[in-house]
Amino acid sequence: MTYLRLLQHRAADGSRSVILAEGDTAHFLPGVTSVRELAQRAIAAGETLADTARACGQGADVDIRAEFDAGRLLAPIDHADAAHLILSGTGLTHLGSAEGRDKMHREAAASEKQTDSMRMFLEGLEGGKPAPGEVGQQPEWFYKGDGSQLVGPRDPLPMPAFAKDGSEEPEVAGIYIVGEDGTPYRLGFALANEYSDHVTERHNYLWLAHSKLRRAALGAELLLGTPPAGIEGTSRIRRGGELLWEKPFLSGEANMSHTIANLEHHHFKYDLFRRPGDIHVHFFGTATLSFSDGVTTQEGDVFEISAFPFALPLANPLVRADAPAVAVKAL
């Protein structure tokens, strides 16, 4: 089976375009400068995003791997006003995902009863896949920031000057746009590195919100339609060009304790997330972390994440941002 993917491209002169890829072939879409623009056309026409893309015609062929290597591929979604793109996610959604989290928090909450992390995971395991028409157990939810925090497939992942850690979280993200009538439309799925500060989170679970206010990277491809039930990938860290750590990861509903529909319901049930025109990037969680294996990342480490059916990986180097001089002034 071949999968349709949309990619956003920026040429050396700054001009933008959209690429449609299917299997091993890809071509530019004439007259389209962003996936958001294409999605708005599809909504207005009452068509699928795939049908609207195909109706654009076929421009010049393009080698997406060469464009990726040259750094000309962007994140597959963005918004001209970064405040109208929302990054959020859910945790403890994957089979096995409670192990690493529970290990992090057990010492801080040593007792005979289960940690809150384990309780939440078990509740999702029991009620995260409801029957059609029913509402399932709500997941953990977190906010990551707006569009200013989104980076592309080869961009550096800046670690704040105050951060205790910067570690990868390989996963899949859902990409959405809200129509003029407030209806959320799923555009597709992207490979992602949700990226968090696990040392801060481990210190106190109530600091989870702080640990998630970090940049996040998306792979170049927006996968259209229904993804495979099981997604198998590999997460790697390279240091100085050498492989430091490597581990397979699993995603997709077959490897999750929640359905995608249940996670979507518990995000978009809030009316503030149904504001017309907004873009949402929602991370669905992971069960694989180098931090759980005792890896301490360093500036210059490169996070590499790949998974079928995405043809291109992410390859994001870790950098540390300068410390800003922040002082509140009274008016």
Side-chain angles (χ1 to χ4, degrees), residues 36 40 77-88 143 145-150 175-180 187 267-268 271-282:
R36 176 172 168 264
Q40 289 173 324
I77 193 67
D78 54 8
H79 196 292
D81 182 351
H84 287 279
L85 191 154
I86 297 170
L87 302 177
S88 59
Y143 172 71
D146 62 16
S148 66
Q149 304 304 292
L150 184 62
I175 312 299
Y176 306 86
I177 189 170
V178 182
E180 290 304 313
L187 307 185
H267 179 68
F268 288 109
D271 56 6
L272 77 162
F273 295 147
R274 299 194 305 274
R275 183 170 57 187
D278 279 5
I279 296 289
H280 288 254
V281 176
H282 195 65

Side-chain angles (χ1 to χ4, degrees), residues 61-73:
D61 291 342
V62 58
D63 182 340
I64 60 172
R65 183 69 207 210
E67 297 304 304
F68 172 83
D69 291 340
R72 289 190 284 266
L73 298 181

Side-chain angles (χ1 to χ4, degrees), residues 124-153:
L125 196 61
E126 181 178 354
K129 293 187 173 182
E134 296 183 3
V135 174
Q137 180 68 31
Q138 69 178 3
E140 175 193 31
W141 182 95
F142 55 83
Y143 172 71
K144 285 196 67 68
D146 62 16
S148 66
Q149 304 304 292
L150 184 62
V151 305

